[in-house]
Amino acid sequence: MPQATFQVDQEIYREKISTAIIRHNYPFMFVEHEGIRDLHSFLNPTVKPITRNTAKSDVLKLYKRERDKLKHVIESIPSRICLTSDLWSSIATDGYLALTAHYVDENWILQKKILSFHHMPPPHSGPILVEKRHLSLTDTLFCGGEFFHVRCGAHILNLIVQAGLKVIDEAVNKIRESVKYVRVSEGRKIKFAECIAQLSLSCSKKVCQDVPTRWNYTYLMIDGALMYRRAFDQLQLIDVHFKTCPSDDEWVKVENIAKFLKPFYDITTLFSGFHYPTANLYFHGVWKIQMLIKEEIRNSCDAISSMAKQMKEKFDKYWECYSVVLSFAIILDPRYKLQFVEFCFKKLYPATYVDRVKFIRDKLYMLFEEYMCLSSISTSNQSSVACASGGDNIGDEMDEFDIYESQHYGLTRNKSQLDLFLEEQKFDRKQDLDILTYWKANKLRYLELALMARDILSIPITTVASESAFSIGSQILNKYRSSIVPKNAEALLCTRDWLYEKGNIKFSNEDEEDEELAEDFESIITTLKNSSNDSHSSFS
């Protein structure tokens, strides 16, 4: 046994244990496992083993310390904070509410932090999440709370597409059954892989099985199956038990469906991206969806037309009136501004686009005026002091200067920051622009407008960041730890988010679920080729 050359700092050791439990989702009792204790003692005999109760206490202590740090950070940020909330039920059917903060930090980087993960007794109804009366009474919301509530873009997209998929269930069902057939056993996988190899088909896509509640998996299933269409046809010729292969007409129908769904998939990916999307992506994405639905209603294919009609009903219910505050974000993008909103509405509503644009513009100016009022209140005391110490004659001279400037240089000085920004020449639309970097660079030119842009651009398009908490929650509150008390679950989940997630919103269990649903036939074909080569080598 190696001899220890130093005395272990027990406090540091215990903190390392706590961070390991939080980061890797170890059970508290692992500190009492004989193998773990033996390993630590081997590395340094001065280590003092701890109990599971001590481990719990240390995790809670680390949670409280990091929570205090986060409070300090939030108190110091110059922008407003957007909150998203969502409900989730654990494997034991206990309800939890995740509250997530979204903000732009002092470096103008978009951030998200889970603030709490509280146990929530029933009822678990939607109205609970949108209750805002207590906030309105304290007058803490801009414009009386008019822009307080924003719907989740990804959730609405899911509702829209699911409505369309109900129409074409029969067309997709054969694909679904065919995918299930080739994935059900090792023998069938090998037989299908042999078909792919014989036809020399590309294996750049996996054969995916869909999930009823996640329409994007249905799209991936169809898209993957289309690549292996000839292999499915070949399998039907050599396997008498394979009876669900689509006909030629059905393949064409499914191909049209895939083309129709592709833009929806792309926009869902954009809205729910791994890299945190800013709010300026919203308006253009929703407009593209509306234009697509409008065009496909007239499609000569009855299936596509029926899908589009069903989708339009859902679209009109949730998005016919675009989110006003998220529409501001595209106007504050120097590549688009108000002209883009006008262009989009004119394409959709030729008869009423002027009124729609005016409505958005008026609301934008109303919000900007609130920022100007807040700014004038915060600087009024300083101005009063300056005037009191300067004397009357200086004020008279400055008033005279104002008149001179107005007469000789026009009314530019009377224009607001928002006026000047909207009148400036737009940037090249094809330019790859980080919009937060733009506003960071122009914060001195447009003091109040930059503050407003900062707040608007931090509004999340979706609640995916909040829902990501449930990915961690499902690991913490799994079937082996379903009875963990809520305060410990919150400590584990929140501290992991603060220390290790760093704004990312995709977690390992999602990757594992993807692997379970997708079959990589390229690896099977490679194994078959290697086995064949080995056999020839042995024979020779």
PDB file of all heavy atoms in Angstrom, residues 153 156-157 160 264 267 270-271 281-293 315 318-323 326-327 344-345 348 461:
ATOM      1  N   GLY A 153     -43.372  28.707 -28.246  1.00  0.00           N
ATOM      2  CA  GLY A 153     -43.416  28.501 -29.685  1.00  0.00           C
ATOM      3  C   GLY A 153     -43.319  27.038 -30.084  1.00  0.00           C
ATOM      4  O   GLY A 153     -44.008  26.581 -31.003  1.00  0.00           O
ATOM      5  N   ILE A 156     -46.679  25.255 -29.465  1.00  0.00           N
ATOM      6  CA  ILE A 156     -47.698  25.598 -30.462  1.00  0.00           C
ATOM      7  C   ILE A 156     -47.389  24.913 -31.794  1.00  0.00           C
ATOM      8  O   ILE A 156     -48.296  24.389 -32.462  1.00  0.00           O
ATOM      9  CB  ILE A 156     -47.787  27.124 -30.643  1.00  0.00           C
ATOM     10  CG1 ILE A 156     -48.296  27.778 -29.348  1.00  0.00           C
ATOM     11  CG2 ILE A 156     -48.705  27.481 -31.801  1.00  0.00           C
ATOM     12  CD1 ILE A 156     -48.298  29.275 -29.363  1.00  0.00           C
ATOM     13  N   LEU A 157     -46.122  24.897 -32.186  1.00  0.00           N
ATOM     14  CA  LEU A 157     -45.755  24.183 -33.412  1.00  0.00           C
ATOM     15  C   LEU A 157     -46.144  22.711 -33.336  1.00  0.00           C
ATOM     16  O   LEU A 157     -46.629  22.131 -34.311  1.00  0.00           O
ATOM     17  CB  LEU A 157     -44.250  24.301 -33.643  1.00  0.00           C
ATOM     18  CG  LEU A 157     -43.771  25.427 -34.558  1.00  0.00           C
ATOM     19  CD1 LEU A 157     -42.256  25.492 -34.570  1.00  0.00           C
ATOM     20  CD2 LEU A 157     -44.305  25.248 -35.967  1.00  0.00           C
ATOM     21  N   ILE A 160     -49.864  22.399 -33.870  1.00  0.00           N
ATOM     22  CA  ILE A 160     -50.225  22.635 -35.268  1.00  0.00           C
ATOM     23  C   ILE A 160     -49.936  21.400 -36.121  1.00  0.00           C
ATOM     24  O   ILE A 160     -50.787  20.943 -36.893  1.00  0.00           O
ATOM     25  CB  ILE A 160     -49.454  23.865 -35.807  1.00  0.00           C
ATOM     26  CG1 ILE A 160     -49.970  25.153 -35.141  1.00  0.00           C
ATOM     27  CG2 ILE A 160     -49.590  23.966 -37.325  1.00  0.00           C
ATOM     28  CD1 ILE A 160     -49.139  26.381 -35.454  1.00  0.00           C
ATOM     29  N   PHE A 264     -41.324  22.788 -41.159  1.00  0.00           N
ATOM     30  CA  PHE A 264     -41.777  22.749 -39.766  1.00  0.00           C
ATOM     31  C   PHE A 264     -40.673  22.163 -38.874  1.00  0.00           C
ATOM     32  O   PHE A 264     -40.431  22.644 -37.772  1.00  0.00           O
ATOM     33  CB  PHE A 264     -43.050  21.918 -39.631  1.00  0.00           C
ATOM     34  CG  PHE A 264     -44.255  22.524 -40.275  1.00  0.00           C
ATOM     35  CD1 PHE A 264     -44.566  22.279 -41.600  1.00  0.00           C
ATOM     36  CD2 PHE A 264     -45.094  23.364 -39.553  1.00  0.00           C
ATOM     37  CE1 PHE A 264     -45.681  22.852 -42.186  1.00  0.00           C
ATOM     38  CE2 PHE A 264     -46.217  23.936 -40.133  1.00  0.00           C
ATOM     39  CZ  PHE A 264     -46.506  23.675 -41.467  1.00  0.00           C
ATOM     40  N   ILE A 267     -37.834  24.774 -38.450  1.00  0.00           N
ATOM     41  CA  ILE A 267     -38.165  25.876 -37.553  1.00  0.00           C
ATOM     42  C   ILE A 267     -38.262  25.390 -36.112  1.00  0.00           C
ATOM     43  O   ILE A 267     -37.857  26.099 -35.174  1.00  0.00           O
ATOM     44  CB  ILE A 267     -39.472  26.560 -38.013  1.00  0.00           C
ATOM     45  CG1 ILE A 267     -39.227  27.287 -39.338  1.00  0.00           C
ATOM     46  CG2 ILE A 267     -39.982  27.540 -36.967  1.00  0.00           C
ATOM     47  CD1 ILE A 267     -40.450  27.824 -40.001  1.00  0.00           C
ATOM     48  N   LEU A 270     -34.802  25.232 -34.975  1.00  0.00           N
ATOM     49  CA  LEU A 270     -34.302  26.592 -34.745  1.00  0.00           C
ATOM     50  C   LEU A 270     -34.807  27.140 -33.419  1.00  0.00           C
ATOM     51  O   LEU A 270     -34.036  27.688 -32.616  1.00  0.00           O
ATOM     52  CB  LEU A 270     -34.752  27.500 -35.890  1.00  0.00           C
ATOM     53  CG  LEU A 270     -34.301  28.959 -35.825  1.00  0.00           C
ATOM     54  CD1 LEU A 270     -32.793  29.067 -36.039  1.00  0.00           C
ATOM     55  CD2 LEU A 270     -35.043  29.792 -36.868  1.00  0.00           C
ATOM     56  N   PHE A 271     -36.114  27.007 -33.168  1.00  0.00           N
ATOM     57  CA  PHE A 271     -36.712  27.523 -31.939  1.00  0.00           C
ATOM     58  C   PHE A 271     -36.175  26.809 -30.695  1.00  0.00           C
ATOM     59  O   PHE A 271     -36.027  27.410 -29.637  1.00  0.00           O
ATOM     60  CB  PHE A 271     -38.230  27.366 -31.978  1.00  0.00           C
ATOM     61  CG  PHE A 271     -38.939  28.432 -32.770  1.00  0.00           C
ATOM     62  CD1 PHE A 271     -38.242  29.355 -33.526  1.00  0.00           C
ATOM     63  CD2 PHE A 271     -40.325  28.531 -32.755  1.00  0.00           C
ATOM     64  CE1 PHE A 271     -38.894  30.342 -34.258  1.00  0.00           C
ATOM     65  CE2 PHE A 271     -40.992  29.514 -33.473  1.00  0.00           C
ATOM     66  CZ  PHE A 271     -40.266  30.410 -34.221  1.00  0.00           C
ATOM     67  N   LEU A 281     -35.686  35.637 -33.849  1.00  0.00           N
ATOM     68  CA  LEU A 281     -35.979  34.526 -34.763  1.00  0.00           C
ATOM     69  C   LEU A 281     -37.472  34.231 -34.858  1.00  0.00           C
ATOM     70  O   LEU A 281     -37.917  33.559 -35.788  1.00  0.00           O
ATOM     71  CB  LEU A 281     -35.257  33.258 -34.287  1.00  0.00           C
ATOM     72  CG  LEU A 281     -33.729  33.333 -34.176  1.00  0.00           C
ATOM     73  CD1 LEU A 281     -33.191  32.037 -33.593  1.00  0.00           C
ATOM     74  CD2 LEU A 281     -33.102  33.615 -35.527  1.00  0.00           C
ATOM     75  N   TYR A 282     -38.245  34.738 -33.896  1.00  0.00           N
ATOM     76  CA  TYR A 282     -39.651  34.354 -33.770  1.00  0.00           C
ATOM     77  C   TYR A 282     -40.497  34.778 -34.978  1.00  0.00           C
ATOM     78  O   TYR A 282     -41.147  33.952 -35.622  1.00  0.00           O
ATOM     79  CB  TYR A 282     -40.229  34.947 -32.486  1.00  0.00           C
ATOM     80  CG  TYR A 282     -41.735  34.941 -32.421  1.00  0.00           C
ATOM     81  CD1 TYR A 282     -42.441  33.834 -31.973  1.00  0.00           C
ATOM     82  CD2 TYR A 282     -42.476  36.060 -32.811  1.00  0.00           C
ATOM     83  CE1 TYR A 282     -43.829  33.828 -31.920  1.00  0.00           C
ATOM     84  CE2 TYR A 282     -43.862  36.066 -32.759  1.00  0.00           C
ATOM     85  CZ  TYR A 282     -44.533  34.959 -32.312  1.00  0.00           C
ATOM     86  OH  TYR A 282     -45.899  34.954 -32.264  1.00  0.00           O
ATOM     87  N   PHE A 283     -40.520  36.068 -35.281  1.00  0.00           N
ATOM     88  CA  PHE A 283     -41.475  36.598 -36.248  1.00  0.00           C
ATOM     89  C   PHE A 283     -41.304  35.947 -37.618  1.00  0.00           C
ATOM     90  O   PHE A 283     -42.272  35.506 -38.246  1.00  0.00           O
ATOM     91  CB  PHE A 283     -41.321  38.119 -36.361  1.00  0.00           C
ATOM     92  CG  PHE A 283     -42.361  38.773 -37.227  1.00  0.00           C
ATOM     93  CD1 PHE A 283     -43.549  39.226 -36.679  1.00  0.00           C
ATOM     94  CD2 PHE A 283     -42.170  38.919 -38.594  1.00  0.00           C
ATOM     95  CE1 PHE A 283     -44.524  39.823 -37.477  1.00  0.00           C
ATOM     96  CE2 PHE A 283     -43.132  39.507 -39.397  1.00  0.00           C
ATOM     97  CZ  PHE A 283     -44.307  39.966 -38.833  1.00  0.00           C
ATOM     98  N   HIS A 284     -40.070  35.884 -38.080  1.00  0.00           N
ATOM     99  CA  HIS A 284     -39.813  35.310 -39.399  1.00  0.00           C
ATOM    100  C   HIS A 284     -40.230  33.848 -39.445  1.00  0.00           C
ATOM    101  O   HIS A 284     -40.817  33.375 -40.420  1.00  0.00           O
ATOM    102  CB  HIS A 284     -38.321  35.463 -39.740  1.00  0.00           C
ATOM    103  CG  HIS A 284     -38.010  35.212 -41.174  1.00  0.00           C
ATOM    104  ND1 HIS A 284     -36.721  35.104 -41.658  1.00  0.00           N
ATOM    105  CD2 HIS A 284     -38.829  35.032 -42.254  1.00  0.00           C
ATOM    106  CE1 HIS A 284     -36.762  34.877 -42.960  1.00  0.00           C
ATOM    107  NE2 HIS A 284     -38.019  34.835 -43.349  1.00  0.00           N
ATOM    108  N   GLY A 285     -39.943  33.101 -38.358  1.00  0.00           N
ATOM    109  CA  GLY A 285     -40.305  31.690 -38.305  1.00  0.00           C
ATOM    110  C   GLY A 285     -41.799  31.468 -38.369  1.00  0.00           C
ATOM    111  O   GLY A 285     -42.290  30.620 -39.126  1.00  0.00           O
ATOM    112  N   VAL A 286     -42.547  32.233 -37.578  1.00  0.00           N
ATOM    113  CA  VAL A 286     -44.005  32.089 -37.565  1.00  0.00           C
ATOM    114  C   VAL A 286     -44.594  32.491 -38.916  1.00  0.00           C
ATOM    115  O   VAL A 286     -45.518  31.847 -39.433  1.00  0.00           O
ATOM    116  CB  VAL A 286     -44.620  32.935 -36.427  1.00  0.00           C
ATOM    117  CG1 VAL A 286     -46.146  32.882 -36.479  1.00  0.00           C
ATOM    118  CG2 VAL A 286     -44.128  32.442 -35.074  1.00  0.00           C
ATOM    119  N   TRP A 287     -44.060  33.549 -39.516  1.00  0.00           N
ATOM    120  CA  TRP A 287     -44.546  34.002 -40.819  1.00  0.00           C
ATOM    121  C   TRP A 287     -44.329  32.927 -41.881  1.00  0.00           C
ATOM    122  O   TRP A 287     -45.213  32.659 -42.699  1.00  0.00           O
ATOM    123  CB  TRP A 287     -43.831  35.293 -41.213  1.00  0.00           C
ATOM    124  CG  TRP A 287     -44.201  35.789 -42.577  1.00  0.00           C
ATOM    125  CD1 TRP A 287     -45.371  36.387 -42.951  1.00  0.00           C
ATOM    126  CD2 TRP A 287     -43.393  35.715 -43.761  1.00  0.00           C
ATOM    127  NE1 TRP A 287     -45.348  36.701 -44.297  1.00  0.00           N
ATOM    128  CE2 TRP A 287     -44.147  36.293 -44.826  1.00  0.00           C
ATOM    129  CE3 TRP A 287     -42.123  35.229 -44.032  1.00  0.00           C
ATOM    130  CZ2 TRP A 287     -43.643  36.393 -46.115  1.00  0.00           C
ATOM    131  CZ3 TRP A 287     -41.626  35.326 -45.329  1.00  0.00           C
ATOM    132  CH2 TRP A 287     -42.385  35.907 -46.355  1.00  0.00           C
ATOM    133  N   LYS A 288     -43.173  32.291 -41.876  1.00  0.00           N
ATOM    134  CA  LYS A 288     -42.896  31.226 -42.852  1.00  0.00           C
ATOM    135  C   LYS A 288     -43.884  30.072 -42.689  1.00  0.00           C
ATOM    136  O   LYS A 288     -44.351  29.498 -43.688  1.00  0.00           O
ATOM    137  CB  LYS A 288     -41.458  30.730 -42.677  1.00  0.00           C
ATOM    138  CG  LYS A 288     -40.425  31.697 -43.220  1.00  0.00           C
ATOM    139  CD  LYS A 288     -39.009  31.289 -42.836  1.00  0.00           C
ATOM    140  CE  LYS A 288     -38.579  30.020 -43.528  1.00  0.00           C
ATOM    141  NZ  LYS A 288     -37.165  29.695 -43.223  1.00  0.00           N
ATOM    142  N   ILE A 289     -44.204  29.740 -41.447  1.00  0.00           N
ATOM    143  CA  ILE A 289     -45.179  28.677 -41.197  1.00  0.00           C
ATOM    144  C   ILE A 289     -46.546  29.073 -41.755  1.00  0.00           C
ATOM    145  O   ILE A 289     -47.227  28.279 -42.421  1.00  0.00           O
ATOM    146  CB  ILE A 289     -45.280  28.397 -39.681  1.00  0.00           C
ATOM    147  CG1 ILE A 289     -44.008  27.707 -39.183  1.00  0.00           C
ATOM    148  CG2 ILE A 289     -46.507  27.547 -39.364  1.00  0.00           C
ATOM    149  CD1 ILE A 289     -43.761  26.341 -39.756  1.00  0.00           C
ATOM    150  N   GLN A 290     -46.966  30.304 -41.498  1.00  0.00           N
ATOM    151  CA  GLN A 290     -48.271  30.753 -41.975  1.00  0.00           C
ATOM    152  C   GLN A 290     -48.321  30.773 -43.495  1.00  0.00           C
ATOM    153  O   GLN A 290     -49.323  30.357 -44.102  1.00  0.00           O
ATOM    154  CB  GLN A 290     -48.598  32.139 -41.411  1.00  0.00           C
ATOM    155  CG  GLN A 290     -50.028  32.585 -41.690  1.00  0.00           C
ATOM    156  CD  GLN A 290     -50.384  33.876 -40.999  1.00  0.00           C
ATOM    157  OE1 GLN A 290     -49.530  34.556 -40.436  1.00  0.00           O
ATOM    158  NE2 GLN A 290     -51.660  34.236 -41.027  1.00  0.00           N
ATOM    159  N   MET A 291     -47.263  31.256 -44.131  1.00  0.00           N
ATOM    160  CA  MET A 291     -47.232  31.287 -45.594  1.00  0.00           C
ATOM    161  C   MET A 291     -47.280  29.874 -46.170  1.00  0.00           C
ATOM    162  O   MET A 291     -47.987  29.625 -47.160  1.00  0.00           O
ATOM    163  CB  MET A 291     -45.960  32.001 -46.063  1.00  0.00           C
ATOM    164  CG  MET A 291     -45.980  33.512 -45.887  1.00  0.00           C
ATOM    165  SD  MET A 291     -47.205  34.336 -46.944  1.00  0.00           S
ATOM    166  CE  MET A 291     -46.551  33.985 -48.569  1.00  0.00           C
ATOM    167  N   LEU A 292     -46.564  28.968 -45.560  1.00  0.00           N
ATOM    168  CA  LEU A 292     -46.531  27.592 -46.041  1.00  0.00           C
ATOM    169  C   LEU A 292     -47.910  26.947 -45.956  1.00  0.00           C
ATOM    170  O   LEU A 292     -48.375  26.305 -46.907  1.00  0.00           O
ATOM    171  CB  LEU A 292     -45.517  26.783 -45.248  1.00  0.00           C
ATOM    172  CG  LEU A 292     -45.355  25.308 -45.628  1.00  0.00           C
ATOM    173  CD1 LEU A 292     -44.861  25.172 -47.064  1.00  0.00           C
ATOM    174  CD2 LEU A 292     -44.403  24.609 -44.671  1.00  0.00           C
ATOM    175  N   ILE A 293     -48.565  27.125 -44.817  1.00  0.00           N
ATOM    176  CA  ILE A 293     -49.913  26.554 -44.642  1.00  0.00           C
ATOM    177  C   ILE A 293     -50.882  27.150 -45.662  1.00  0.00           C
ATOM    178  O   ILE A 293     -51.678  26.435 -46.285  1.00  0.00           O
ATOM    179  CB  ILE A 293     -50.413  26.795 -43.209  1.00  0.00           C
ATOM    180  CG1 ILE A 293     -49.569  25.982 -42.215  1.00  0.00           C
ATOM    181  CG2 ILE A 293     -51.889  26.429 -43.083  1.00  0.00           C
ATOM    182  CD1 ILE A 293     -49.884  26.280 -40.760  1.00  0.00           C
ATOM    183  N   PHE A 315     -53.348  27.080 -36.133  1.00  0.00           N
ATOM    184  CA  PHE A 315     -52.565  28.305 -36.269  1.00  0.00           C
ATOM    185  C   PHE A 315     -53.407  29.524 -35.926  1.00  0.00           C
ATOM    186  O   PHE A 315     -52.980  30.408 -35.173  1.00  0.00           O
ATOM    187  CB  PHE A 315     -52.008  28.432 -37.691  1.00  0.00           C
ATOM    188  CG  PHE A 315     -51.085  29.619 -37.868  1.00  0.00           C
ATOM    189  CD1 PHE A 315     -49.711  29.440 -37.797  1.00  0.00           C
ATOM    190  CD2 PHE A 315     -51.581  30.890 -38.081  1.00  0.00           C
ATOM    191  CE1 PHE A 315     -48.856  30.526 -37.936  1.00  0.00           C
ATOM    192  CE2 PHE A 315     -50.740  31.985 -38.228  1.00  0.00           C
ATOM    193  CZ  PHE A 315     -49.371  31.789 -38.155  1.00  0.00           C
ATOM    194  N   TYR A 318     -53.924  29.986 -32.117  1.00  0.00           N
ATOM    195  CA  TYR A 318     -52.816  30.378 -31.255  1.00  0.00           C
ATOM    196  C   TYR A 318     -51.937  31.497 -31.806  1.00  0.00           C
ATOM    197  O   TYR A 318     -51.349  32.264 -31.052  1.00  0.00           O
ATOM    198  CB  TYR A 318     -51.912  29.162 -30.977  1.00  0.00           C
ATOM    199  CG  TYR A 318     -52.591  28.090 -30.170  1.00  0.00           C
ATOM    200  CD1 TYR A 318     -53.000  26.897 -30.758  1.00  0.00           C
ATOM    201  CD2 TYR A 318     -52.816  28.267 -28.807  1.00  0.00           C
ATOM    202  CE1 TYR A 318     -53.617  25.901 -30.007  1.00  0.00           C
ATOM    203  CE2 TYR A 318     -53.437  27.279 -28.057  1.00  0.00           C
ATOM    204  CZ  TYR A 318     -53.831  26.099 -28.657  1.00  0.00           C
ATOM    205  OH  TYR A 318     -54.442  25.129 -27.916  1.00  0.00           O
ATOM    206  N   TRP A 319     -51.812  31.599 -33.137  1.00  0.00           N
ATOM    207  CA  TRP A 319     -50.825  32.516 -33.700  1.00  0.00           C
ATOM    208  C   TRP A 319     -51.396  33.525 -34.688  1.00  0.00           C
ATOM    209  O   TRP A 319     -50.651  34.301 -35.278  1.00  0.00           O
ATOM    210  CB  TRP A 319     -49.728  31.724 -34.407  1.00  0.00           C
ATOM    211  CG  TRP A 319     -48.579  31.393 -33.499  1.00  0.00           C
ATOM    212  CD1 TRP A 319     -48.325  31.884 -32.262  1.00  0.00           C
ATOM    213  CD2 TRP A 319     -47.506  30.486 -33.794  1.00  0.00           C
ATOM    214  NE1 TRP A 319     -47.185  31.344 -31.756  1.00  0.00           N
ATOM    215  CE2 TRP A 319     -46.658  30.474 -32.678  1.00  0.00           C
ATOM    216  CE3 TRP A 319     -47.188  29.679 -34.882  1.00  0.00           C
ATOM    217  CZ2 TRP A 319     -45.503  29.699 -32.618  1.00  0.00           C
ATOM    218  CZ3 TRP A 319     -46.043  28.908 -34.824  1.00  0.00           C
ATOM    219  CH2 TRP A 319     -45.210  28.919 -33.714  1.00  0.00           C
ATOM    220  N   GLU A 320     -52.715  33.523 -34.910  1.00  0.00           N
ATOM    221  CA  GLU A 320     -53.270  34.472 -35.884  1.00  0.00           C
ATOM    222  C   GLU A 320     -52.900  35.896 -35.495  1.00  0.00           C
ATOM    223  O   GLU A 320     -52.568  36.728 -36.337  1.00  0.00           O
ATOM    224  CB  GLU A 320     -54.790  34.300 -35.974  1.00  0.00           C
ATOM    225  CG  GLU A 320     -55.409  34.831 -37.269  1.00  0.00           C
ATOM    226  CD  GLU A 320     -55.661  36.329 -37.233  1.00  0.00           C
ATOM    227  OE1 GLU A 320     -55.865  36.863 -36.141  1.00  0.00           O
ATOM    228  OE2 GLU A 320     -55.650  36.956 -38.308  1.00  0.00           O
ATOM    229  N   CYS A 321     -52.957  36.182 -34.200  1.00  0.00           N
ATOM    230  CA  CYS A 321     -52.450  37.458 -33.680  1.00  0.00           C
ATOM    231  C   CYS A 321     -51.036  37.180 -33.152  1.00  0.00           C
ATOM    232  O   CYS A 321     -50.878  36.615 -32.071  1.00  0.00           O
ATOM    233  CB  CYS A 321     -53.342  38.000 -32.571  1.00  0.00           C
ATOM    234  SG  CYS A 321     -54.997  38.448 -33.135  1.00  0.00           S
ATOM    235  N   TYR A 322     -50.039  37.541 -33.928  1.00  0.00           N
ATOM    236  CA  TYR A 322     -48.650  37.278 -33.548  1.00  0.00           C
ATOM    237  C   TYR A 322     -48.360  37.869 -32.173  1.00  0.00           C
ATOM    238  O   TYR A 322     -48.919  38.906 -31.795  1.00  0.00           O
ATOM    239  CB  TYR A 322     -47.695  37.920 -34.556  1.00  0.00           C
ATOM    240  CG  TYR A 322     -47.599  37.227 -35.892  1.00  0.00           C
ATOM    241  CD1 TYR A 322     -48.728  36.828 -36.595  1.00  0.00           C
ATOM    242  CD2 TYR A 322     -46.366  36.977 -36.465  1.00  0.00           C
ATOM    243  CE1 TYR A 322     -48.633  36.206 -37.821  1.00  0.00           C
ATOM    244  CE2 TYR A 322     -46.256  36.362 -37.707  1.00  0.00           C
ATOM    245  CZ  TYR A 322     -47.394  35.978 -38.379  1.00  0.00           C
ATOM    246  OH  TYR A 322     -47.298  35.362 -39.599  1.00  0.00           O
ATOM    247  N   SER A 323     -47.484  37.214 -31.423  1.00  0.00           N
ATOM    248  CA  SER A 323     -47.052  37.784 -30.148  1.00  0.00           C
ATOM    249  C   SER A 323     -46.459  39.161 -30.414  1.00  0.00           C
ATOM    250  O   SER A 323     -45.478  39.302 -31.140  1.00  0.00           O
ATOM    251  CB  SER A 323     -45.994  36.883 -29.489  1.00  0.00           C
ATOM    252  OG  SER A 323     -45.410  37.538 -28.393  1.00  0.00           O
ATOM    253  N   LEU A 326     -42.801  39.773 -29.036  1.00  0.00           N
ATOM    254  CA  LEU A 326     -41.791  39.046 -29.801  1.00  0.00           C
ATOM    255  C   LEU A 326     -41.647  39.608 -31.209  1.00  0.00           C
ATOM    256  O   LEU A 326     -40.583  39.485 -31.826  1.00  0.00           O
ATOM    257  CB  LEU A 326     -42.133  37.552 -29.853  1.00  0.00           C
ATOM    258  CG  LEU A 326     -41.960  36.779 -28.546  1.00  0.00           C
ATOM    259  CD1 LEU A 326     -42.378  35.320 -28.718  1.00  0.00           C
ATOM    260  CD2 LEU A 326     -40.521  36.848 -28.036  1.00  0.00           C
ATOM    261  N   SER A 327     -42.698  40.235 -31.715  1.00  0.00           N
ATOM    262  CA  SER A 327     -42.602  40.897 -33.019  1.00  0.00           C
ATOM    263  C   SER A 327     -41.676  42.106 -32.952  1.00  0.00           C
ATOM    264  O   SER A 327     -41.049  42.473 -33.950  1.00  0.00           O
ATOM    265  CB  SER A 327     -43.992  41.335 -33.493  1.00  0.00           C
ATOM    266  OG  SER A 327     -44.858  40.228 -33.630  1.00  0.00           O
ATOM    267  N   CYS A 344     -44.162  41.326 -44.632  1.00  0.00           N
ATOM    268  CA  CYS A 344     -44.796  40.049 -44.276  1.00  0.00           C
ATOM    269  C   CYS A 344     -46.309  40.175 -44.190  1.00  0.00           C
ATOM    270  O   CYS A 344     -47.044  39.328 -44.719  1.00  0.00           O
ATOM    271  CB  CYS A 344     -44.233  39.552 -42.945  1.00  0.00           C
ATOM    272  SG  CYS A 344     -42.505  39.041 -43.028  1.00  0.00           S
ATOM    273  N   PHE A 345     -46.774  41.212 -43.516  1.00  0.00           N
ATOM    274  CA  PHE A 345     -48.217  41.397 -43.371  1.00  0.00           C
ATOM    275  C   PHE A 345     -48.880  41.710 -44.710  1.00  0.00           C
ATOM    276  O   PHE A 345     -50.023  41.299 -44.960  1.00  0.00           O
ATOM    277  CB  PHE A 345     -48.516  42.504 -42.362  1.00  0.00           C
ATOM    278  CG  PHE A 345     -48.390  42.062 -40.926  1.00  0.00           C
ATOM    279  CD1 PHE A 345     -48.147  42.981 -39.911  1.00  0.00           C
ATOM    280  CD2 PHE A 345     -48.522  40.743 -40.573  1.00  0.00           C
ATOM    281  CE1 PHE A 345     -48.042  42.580 -38.591  1.00  0.00           C
ATOM    282  CE2 PHE A 345     -48.407  40.329 -39.258  1.00  0.00           C
ATOM    283  CZ  PHE A 345     -48.176  41.246 -38.271  1.00  0.00           C
ATOM    284  N   LEU A 348     -49.562  38.512 -46.456  1.00  0.00           N
ATOM    285  CA  LEU A 348     -50.606  37.698 -45.848  1.00  0.00           C
ATOM    286  C   LEU A 348     -51.972  38.374 -45.867  1.00  0.00           C
ATOM    287  O   LEU A 348     -52.994  37.729 -46.092  1.00  0.00           O
ATOM    288  CB  LEU A 348     -50.222  37.384 -44.397  1.00  0.00           C
ATOM    289  CG  LEU A 348     -49.078  36.393 -44.193  1.00  0.00           C
ATOM    290  CD1 LEU A 348     -48.620  36.421 -42.742  1.00  0.00           C
ATOM    291  CD2 LEU A 348     -49.506  34.988 -44.581  1.00  0.00           C
ATOM    292  N   ILE A 461     -38.263  32.147 -26.796  1.00  0.00           N
ATOM    293  CA  ILE A 461     -39.294  31.779 -27.760  1.00  0.00           C
ATOM    294  C   ILE A 461     -40.061  30.564 -27.275  1.00  0.00           C
ATOM    295  O   ILE A 461     -41.244  30.401 -27.558  1.00  0.00           O
ATOM    296  CB  ILE A 461     -38.660  31.491 -29.132  1.00  0.00           C
ATOM    297  CG1 ILE A 461     -37.851  32.681 -29.619  1.00  0.00           C
ATOM    298  CG2 ILE A 461     -39.725  31.137 -30.164  1.00  0.00           C
ATOM    299  CD1 ILE A 461     -37.064  32.406 -30.883  1.00  0.00           C
TER     300      ILE A 461
END
